[in-house]
Protein backbone atom coordinates (compact mmCIF):
# COMPACT_ATOMS: atom_id res chain seq x y z
CA UNK A 1 0.00 0.00 0.00
CA UNK A 2 2.83 2.39 0.85
CA UNK A 3 4.36 1.92 -2.58
CA UNK A 4 1.00 2.42 -4.29
CA UNK A 5 0.32 5.78 -2.62
CA UNK A 6 3.87 7.16 -2.42
CA UNK A 7 3.83 8.65 -5.98
CA UNK A 8 0.73 10.66 -5.00
CA UNK A 9 1.81 11.57 -1.49
CA UNK A 10 5.23 12.83 -2.50
CA UNK A 11 4.10 15.72 -4.74
CA UNK A 12 1.34 16.60 -2.28
CA UNK A 13 3.85 16.73 0.56
CA UNK A 14 6.23 18.89 -1.46
CA UNK A 15 3.39 21.26 -2.39
CA UNK A 16 2.28 21.53 1.22
CA UNK A 17 5.80 22.35 2.37
CA UNK A 18 6.22 24.93 -0.39
CA UNK A 19 2.89 26.59 0.46
CA UNK A 20 3.77 26.66 4.14
CA UNK A 21 7.14 28.26 3.43
CA UNK A 22 5.62 30.81 1.07
CA UNK A 23 2.96 31.72 3.61
CA UNK A 24 5.54 32.18 6.33
CA UNK A 25 7.68 34.34 4.05
CA UNK A 26 4.72 36.55 3.17
CA UNK A 27 3.84 37.04 6.81
CA UNK A 28 7.45 37.87 7.74
CA UNK A 29 7.75 40.43 4.95
CA UNK A 30 4.35 42.08 5.38
CA UNK A 31 4.75 45.65 6.71
CA UNK A 32 3.60 46.12 10.25
CA UNK A 33 0.51 48.25 10.70
CA UNK A 34 1.56 51.77 11.77
CA UNK A 35 0.88 52.55 15.39
CA UNK A 36 -1.83 55.11 15.96
CA UNK A 37 -0.34 58.54 16.63
CA UNK A 38 -1.36 59.93 19.99
CA UNK A 39 -1.73 63.65 19.45
CA UNK A 40 -1.13 66.05 22.33
CA UNK A 41 -2.24 69.61 21.47
CA UNK A 42 -1.02 70.90 24.85
CA UNK A 43 2.53 69.86 24.04
CA UNK A 44 2.11 71.49 20.64
CA UNK A 45 1.06 74.74 22.29
CA UNK A 46 4.09 74.70 24.57
CA UNK A 47 6.45 74.04 21.67
CA UNK A 48 4.79 76.79 19.65
CA UNK A 49 5.10 79.34 22.46
CA UNK A 50 8.47 78.38 23.90
CA UNK A 51 10.38 76.37 21.31
CA UNK A 52 12.97 73.87 22.52
CA UNK A 53 16.32 75.39 23.44
CA UNK A 54 17.95 71.99 23.87
CA UNK A 55 17.40 71.26 20.18
CA UNK A 56 17.97 74.81 18.99
CA UNK A 57 14.31 75.18 18.00
CA UNK A 58 13.02 78.76 18.32
CA UNK A 59 9.46 79.49 19.36
CA UNK A 60 7.05 79.47 16.42
CA UNK A 61 5.33 82.49 17.97
CA UNK A 62 8.30 84.69 17.08
CA UNK A 63 7.37 84.52 13.38
CA UNK A 64 3.73 83.43 13.33
CA UNK A 65 2.36 85.51 16.20
CA UNK A 66 0.39 84.74 19.32
CA UNK A 67 -2.00 81.82 18.78
CA UNK A 68 -0.96 81.65 15.13
CA UNK A 69 -2.23 85.12 14.26
CA UNK A 70 0.81 86.47 12.46
CA UNK A 71 1.22 90.25 12.34
CA UNK A 72 4.01 90.03 9.75
CA UNK A 73 2.46 90.17 6.29
CA UNK A 74 4.95 87.79 4.64
CA UNK A 75 4.46 85.14 7.34
CA UNK A 76 1.18 83.24 7.16
CA UNK A 77 -1.56 83.23 9.73
CA UNK A 78 -1.84 79.64 10.97
CA UNK A 79 -4.69 79.87 13.45
CA UNK A 80 -7.83 77.86 12.64
CA UNK A 81 -6.06 76.13 9.74
CA UNK A 82 -6.96 72.44 9.50
CA UNK A 83 -4.77 70.08 11.48
CA UNK A 84 -4.27 67.67 8.60
CA UNK A 85 -3.26 70.43 6.21
CA UNK A 86 -0.75 71.95 8.65
CA UNK A 87 0.79 68.57 9.34
CA UNK A 88 1.12 67.92 5.61
CA UNK A 89 2.91 71.23 5.07
CA UNK A 90 5.38 70.54 7.88
CA UNK A 91 6.17 67.21 6.26
CA UNK A 92 6.42 68.82 2.81
CA UNK A 93 8.97 71.30 4.14
CA UNK A 94 11.30 68.37 4.83
CA UNK A 95 11.29 67.42 1.13
CA UNK A 96 11.90 69.13 -2.21
CA UNK A 97 8.14 69.57 -2.58
CA UNK A 98 8.24 72.75 -0.55
CA UNK A 99 11.70 74.12 0.03
CA UNK A 100 11.87 77.26 2.16
CA UNK A 101 15.17 77.97 4.00
CA UNK A 102 13.74 78.78 7.43
CA UNK A 103 10.79 76.39 7.54
CA UNK A 104 12.71 73.53 5.92
CA UNK A 105 15.44 73.85 8.53
CA UNK A 106 13.12 73.81 11.52
CA UNK A 107 10.67 71.24 10.14
CA UNK A 108 13.52 68.77 9.81
CA UNK A 109 14.30 69.30 13.49
CA UNK A 110 10.74 68.47 14.53
CA UNK A 111 9.78 64.88 15.29
CA UNK A 112 6.69 63.45 13.65
CA UNK A 113 4.91 63.75 17.01
CA UNK A 114 5.94 67.43 17.22
CA UNK A 115 4.42 68.07 13.81
CA UNK A 116 1.14 66.44 14.79
CA UNK A 117 1.02 68.23 18.14
CA UNK A 118 1.71 71.74 16.83
CA UNK A 119 -0.76 71.27 13.98
CA UNK A 120 -3.45 70.05 16.36
CA UNK A 121 -2.95 73.01 18.70
CA UNK A 122 -3.02 75.62 15.93
CA UNK A 123 -6.21 74.15 14.50
CA UNK A 124 -8.02 75.01 17.74
CA UNK A 125 -6.88 78.63 17.91
CA UNK A 126 -9.35 81.39 16.99
CA UNK A 127 -8.42 83.38 13.92
CA UNK A 128 -8.33 87.16 13.89
CA UNK A 129 -10.02 88.56 10.77
CA UNK A 130 -8.19 90.43 8.06
CA UNK A 131 -9.52 93.01 5.63
CA UNK A 132 -9.41 93.81 1.94
CA UNK A 133 -7.48 97.02 1.28
CA UNK A 134 -7.78 97.82 -2.42
CA UNK A 135 -11.23 99.07 -3.41
CA UNK A 136 -10.22 99.32 -7.05
CA UNK A 137 -9.65 95.58 -7.36
CA UNK A 138 -12.25 94.18 -4.98
CA UNK A 139 -14.75 93.42 -7.75
CA UNK A 140 -12.12 91.61 -9.83
CA UNK A 141 -10.99 89.60 -6.83
CA UNK A 142 -14.56 88.68 -5.95
CA UNK A 143 -15.27 87.64 -9.54
CA UNK A 144 -12.21 85.39 -9.70
CA UNK A 145 -12.81 83.85 -6.29
CA UNK A 146 -16.47 83.09 -6.93
CA UNK A 147 -16.54 82.47 -10.67
CA UNK A 148 -12.97 81.95 -11.87
CA UNK A 149 -11.69 83.23 -15.22
CA UNK A 150 -13.53 81.30 -17.91
CA UNK A 151 -11.44 82.51 -20.84
CA UNK A 152 -8.25 81.30 -19.13
CA UNK A 153 -9.75 78.08 -17.80
CA UNK A 154 -9.16 79.21 -14.22
CA UNK A 155 -11.74 77.62 -11.88
CA UNK A 156 -13.48 79.49 -9.10
CA UNK A 157 -11.31 79.51 -5.98
CA UNK A 158 -14.46 78.87 -3.97
CA UNK A 159 -14.91 75.48 -5.62
CA UNK A 160 -11.99 74.16 -3.57
CA UNK A 161 -11.50 76.68 -0.77
CA UNK A 162 -15.17 77.17 0.08
CA UNK A 163 -17.55 80.09 -0.27
CA UNK A 164 -16.16 81.79 2.83
CA UNK A 165 -12.54 80.62 2.45
CA UNK A 166 -12.73 77.90 5.08
CA UNK A 167 -10.96 75.32 2.92
CA UNK A 168 -11.26 71.53 2.90
CA UNK A 169 -9.14 69.78 5.56
CA UNK A 170 -5.99 68.05 4.26
CA UNK A 171 -6.68 69.01 0.66
CA UNK A 172 -7.20 72.77 0.46
CA UNK A 173 -6.18 75.36 3.06
CA UNK A 174 -8.23 77.96 4.81
CA UNK A 175 -7.69 81.30 3.03
CA UNK A 176 -10.07 83.56 4.92
CA UNK A 177 -8.23 86.46 6.55
CA UNK A 178 -4.82 85.47 5.19
CA UNK A 179 -2.27 88.23 4.58
CA UNK A 180 -2.34 89.62 1.04
CA UNK A 181 1.45 89.62 0.70
CA UNK A 182 1.71 85.98 1.74
CA UNK A 183 -1.02 84.80 -0.63
CA UNK A 184 0.50 86.67 -3.57
CA UNK A 185 3.93 85.23 -2.75
CA UNK A 186 2.58 81.66 -2.70
CA UNK A 187 0.74 82.10 -6.00
CA UNK A 188 4.01 83.38 -7.46
CA UNK A 189 5.89 80.35 -6.16
CA UNK A 190 3.30 78.01 -7.65
CA UNK A 191 3.53 79.83 -10.98
CA UNK A 192 7.32 79.70 -11.03
CA UNK A 193 7.46 76.08 -9.81
CA UNK A 194 9.22 77.13 -6.63
CA UNK A 195 6.51 75.36 -4.65
CA UNK A 196 5.83 71.85 -5.91
CA UNK A 197 3.35 70.35 -3.46
CA UNK A 198 0.19 71.12 -5.43
CA UNK A 199 0.17 70.40 -9.18
CA UNK A 200 -3.36 71.85 -9.36
CA UNK A 201 -2.28 75.21 -7.99
CA UNK A 202 0.81 75.30 -10.21
CA UNK A 203 -1.43 74.89 -13.26
CA UNK A 204 -3.97 77.47 -12.09
CA UNK A 205 -1.40 80.09 -11.05
CA UNK A 206 0.39 79.77 -14.40
CA UNK A 207 -2.76 81.05 -16.10
CA UNK A 208 -3.13 84.13 -13.89
CA UNK A 209 -1.62 87.58 -14.31
CA UNK A 210 0.05 89.44 -11.45
CA UNK A 211 -2.93 91.80 -11.34
CA UNK A 212 -5.36 88.89 -10.98
CA UNK A 213 -3.28 87.31 -8.23
CA UNK A 214 -3.17 90.53 -6.24
CA UNK A 215 -6.90 91.10 -6.67
CA UNK A 216 -7.93 87.66 -5.44
CA UNK A 217 -5.39 87.78 -2.60
CA UNK A 218 -6.85 91.06 -1.40
CA UNK A 219 -10.38 89.70 -1.64
CA UNK A 220 -9.70 86.57 0.43
CA UNK A 221 -8.02 88.66 3.11
CA UNK A 222 -11.44 90.12 3.86
CA UNK A 223 -13.29 86.79 4.01
CA UNK A 224 -14.47 85.61 7.40
Amino acid sequence: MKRAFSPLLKPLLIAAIAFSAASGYAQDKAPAAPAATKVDPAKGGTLYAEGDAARGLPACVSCHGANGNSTISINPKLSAQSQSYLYKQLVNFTTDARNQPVMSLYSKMLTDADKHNVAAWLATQPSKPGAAKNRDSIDLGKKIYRGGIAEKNVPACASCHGATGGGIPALYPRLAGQHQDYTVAQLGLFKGHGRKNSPEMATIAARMSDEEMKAVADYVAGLK
Side-chain angles (χ1 to χ4, degrees), residues 6-215:
S6 59
L8 296 174
L9 290 173
K10 189 173 181 180
L12 288 174
L13 181 60
I14 293 172
I17 292 171
F19 177 79
S20 176
S23 298
Y25 178 80
Q27 289 174 356
D28 290 343
K29 294 297 181 180
T37 303
K38 186 176 181 181
V39 179
D40 191 333
K43 286 185 178 180
T46 299
L47 187 60
Y48 183 90
E50 301 174 10
D52 186 341
R55 287 186 283 168
L57 271 169
C60 312
V61 67
S62 60
C63 289
H64 294 286
N67 304 107
N69 286 293
S70 165
T71 57
I72 303 172
S73 67
I74 59 172
N75 294 339
K77 294 180 180 181
L78 303 177
S79 56
Q81 191 63 265
S82 80
Q83 176 182 338
S84 50
Y85 181 79
L86 287 171
Y87 171 76
K88 178 182 181 294
Q89 300 312 301
L90 287 171
V91 172
N92 286 168
F93 278 124
T94 67
T95 72
D96 291 335
R98 192 173 182 187
N99 188 11
Q100 200 277 343
V102 175
M103 283 305 305
S104 292
L105 172 65
Y106 295 134
S107 291
K108 290 174 182 177
M109 296 170 69
L110 294 172
T111 65
D112 193 59
D114 290 335
K115 292 180 177 71
H116 277 291
N117 293 342
V118 170
W121 182 79
L122 282 166
T124 66
Q125 303 309 301
S127 181
K128 291 185 178 179
K133 299 176 181 178
N134 191 343
R135 291 184 179 181
D136 295 334
S137 69
I138 194 71
D139 289 338
L140 176 60
K142 181 178 180 179
K143 178 183 177 183
I144 295 171
Y145 190 85
R146 296 188 177 184
I149 311 171
E151 63 273 22
K152 292 185 176 182
N153 200 25
V154 171
C157 311
S159 62
C160 290
H161 295 282
T164 58
I168 300 175
L171 298 175
Y172 308 110
R174 172 188 172 86
L175 298 180
Q178 190 57 267
H179 293 304
Q180 288 93 331
D181 289 346
Y182 177 75
T183 301
V184 169
Q186 296 311 300
L187 288 170
L189 285 172
F190 280 126
K191 185 172 185 175
H193 304 289
R195 180 172 170 178
K196 306 171 185 177
N197 64 342
S198 175
E200 299 93 338
M201 281 307 307
T203 298
I204 292 168
R207 298 169 180 166
M208 298 176 70
S209 68
D210 290 347
E211 179 188 8
E212 289 162 344
M213 289 180 185
K214 290 177 182 178

